[in-house]
Amino acid sequence: MRRKLVVGNWKMHGSIAANRTLLEKVVAGVYTCYHADFAVCVPYPYIAQTQILLTGSNVCWGAQNLCSTRDGASTGAVSPAMLTDFGCTHAIIGHSERRNLFHETDDTAAARFNAAREAGLVPIFCMGESAEERESDWTEYIVGRQLDSILRRFGPQALSNAVLAYEPLWAIGSDKAATPEQAQEVHAFIRNRIARCDAKIAQEVRILYGGSVTPANAAQLFAMPDIDGGLIGRASLSAEEFVPICLAANDRCVRSNIHRFEGHDAPIAASA
């Protein structure tokens, strides 16, 4: 069974004082949760502080981007090795805000995905469609094209130590999350597309949902068979919201393990 994973994406938020308060509450809130995995991806200036505060806990840390080259004359860039120097385990790649605000492309995202993987980081590769693209029934075309930038260039094996994230642009930062059924439909599409290349990797790769995940909807989203956790933006800035989402992921893994132990093959209902 795939373990659930919950990743906080702080985006361009944080301060030394606020970070300490938030992370101490998160660590205290999830310290007995060992059935799911947790991480926070923080702005570059706070990675060292995050390392100090999270070392020895069951919460990993990472970055929100990286450069695809190892070193050189790239003013303002941060290499994968710089991140691993500070204990980072994850890096968000290809987030829609990077694509839209900083004009990153499928090709540059794929290059950074591979650079993260080669450095031993777990890339969290983001995909998603805009509201206009969904209304035009282009969701599968857009998400498939973004996924294919990895599959065609590096093959399905590149996903063996990676995480995918479906983040519909129309749900990010809004109060309009995809319904569990809408999210599941796209997650299943992603997994089936990978299965055309490698069925084993398709079953093993974790696919997160991101876009207005809250304590109120997390359990239902995580109950879907192809949703393996969440990439959490706004709610990750509050321990009072982020911890319950983490607990929902941990609880879903516990329920799934009990269900498997009892010998049931049918999926647990979303309302359970």
Side-chain angles (χ1 to χ4, degrees):
M1 187 196 78
R2 296 181 300 271
R3 283 171 64 91
K4 301 295 186 189
L5 168 65
V6 177
V7 180
N9 175 16
W10 288 6
K11 306 189 180 186
M12 198 173 68
H13 296 284
S15 69
I16 290 174
N19 299 347
R20 175 177 290 276
T21 299
L22 172 58
L23 291 176
E24 287 178 347
K25 289 182 178 179
V26 169
V27 168
V30 304
Y31 82 101
T32 59
C33 300
Y34 293 104
H35 298 279
D37 299 320
F38 315 108
V40 291
C41 289
V42 306
Y44 292 139
Y46 300 129
I47 290 176
Q49 180 196 26
T50 301
Q51 180 185 31
I52 292 170
L53 293 172
L54 294 184
T55 295
S57 76
N58 60 337
V59 182
C60 299
W61 59 95
Q64 299 169 16
N65 198 18
L66 51 73
C67 186
S68 61
T69 56
R70 296 181 180 179
D71 52 34
S74 300
T75 301
V78 173
S79 73
M82 293 175 183
L83 301 180
T84 58
D85 267 351
F86 287 90
C88 289
T89 55
H90 296 72
I92 298 173
I93 304 293
H95 193 281
S96 61
E97 292 160 1
R98 298 295 310 178
R99 294 176 188 259
N100 293 337
L101 298 177
F102 299 96
H103 309 295
E104 296 186 356
T105 67
D106 290 344
D107 286 341
T108 60
R112 290 185 291 105
F113 171 94
N114 193 55
R117 190 172 60 90
E118 289 185 339
L121 292 161
V122 177
I124 303 170
F125 188 77
C126 299
M127 301 167 286
E129 82 285 7
S130 68
E132 294 78 10
E133 289 162 344
R134 170 166 279 271
E135 290 168 2
S136 300
D137 201 25
W138 280 26
T139 296
E140 291 188 359
Y141 170 77
I142 297 298
V143 173
R145 186 200 72 203
Q146 293 166 340
L147 177 60
D148 285 353
S149 69
I150 301 297
L151 295 176
R152 290 177 178 171
R153 188 166 176 180
F154 304 112
Q157 292 74 23
L159 300 177
S160 60
N161 188 34
V163 172
L164 301 175
Y166 169 57
E167 287 204 310
L169 279 65
W170 46 271
I172 297 173
S174 72
D175 293 318
K176 184 182 178 182
T179 66
E181 293 76 19
Q182 286 175 320
Q184 165 59 25
E185 183 179 12
V186 181
H187 280 238
F189 164 77
I190 293 169
R191 202 174 302 282
N192 289 336
R193 197 175 187 94
I194 299 169
R196 286 160 43 184
C197 303
D198 191 304
K200 183 174 184 292
I201 289 176
Q203 285 303 309
E204 293 175 349
V205 67
R206 292 193 282 190
I207 309 174
L208 311 183
Y209 170 74
S212 297
V213 179
T214 69
N217 63 19
Q220 287 187 314
L221 286 164
F222 298 164
M224 295 293 104
D226 289 300
I227 298 179
D228 303 314
L231 180 57
I232 315 300
R234 179 174 50 185
S236 70
L237 301 174
S238 165
E240 288 71 26
E241 293 190 63
F242 188 60
V243 168
I245 293 171
C246 294
L247 296 179
N250 188 75
D251 182 62
R252 176 51 52 181
C253 289
V254 171
R255 289 170 180 250
S256 296
N257 285 334
I258 292 174
H259 197 68
R260 287 164 59 88
F261 179 77
E262 291 177 345
H264 301 292
D265 294 324
I268 299 174
S271 60

